[in-house]
């Protein structure tokens, strides 16, 4: 699988678990170039790390759409960065717990 957002040879991990007793799906990958201050804007439409927007193969809508779909289902999409490792957590609505 080719990824555009982590170094070549990195591992992308997908797991299912719980957060405070609520079902959760996690996706993790190395993200050494991601700054913690960028976590708050990752799901803004059209935001991309490339400030010059030189790469026309992506539009910057994936996480914006994912966040919107999660919210419409009553779920939550959270982002974390720990020691250069990015984590996205999709947490199910409380009524599913």
């Amino acid at each position: 699988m080719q990824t555009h957002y982590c170094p070549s040879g990195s591992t992308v991990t997908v797991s299912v678990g719980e957060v405070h007793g609520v079902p959760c799906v996690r996706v993790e990958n190395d993200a050494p170039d991601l700054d913690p201050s960028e976590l708050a804007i990752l799901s803004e439409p059209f935001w991309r790390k490339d400030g010059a927007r030189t790469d026309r193969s992506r539009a910057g809508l994936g996480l914006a759409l994912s966040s919107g779909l999660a919210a419409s289902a009553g779920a939550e999409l959270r982002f974390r960065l720990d020691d250069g490792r990015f984590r996205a957590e999709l947490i199910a609505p409380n009524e599913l717990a």
Side-chain angles (χ1 to χ4, degrees), residues 10-82:
S10 294
T11 300
V12 176
T13 305
V14 179
S15 60
V16 176
E18 292 184 352
V19 172
H20 305 295
V22 179
C24 172
V25 176
R26 291 182 187 91
V27 179
E28 299 181 55
N29 60 270
D30 294 329
D33 295 332
L34 188 62
D35 187 86
S37 65
E38 295 169 326
L39 292 177
I41 59 175
L42 283 177
S43 61
E44 289 185 9
F46 307 110
W47 184 86
R48 291 185 289 160
K49 179 75 175 174
D50 175 13
R53 312 292 195 264
T54 56
D55 184 353
R56 301 283 183 205
S57 66
R58 292 176 299 282
L61 288 172
L63 290 177
L65 291 170
S66 297
S67 291
L69 287 169
S72 70
E76 182 181 359
L77 185 57
R78 295 182 190 169
F79 306 117
R80 293 178 42 183
L81 188 62
D82 296 313

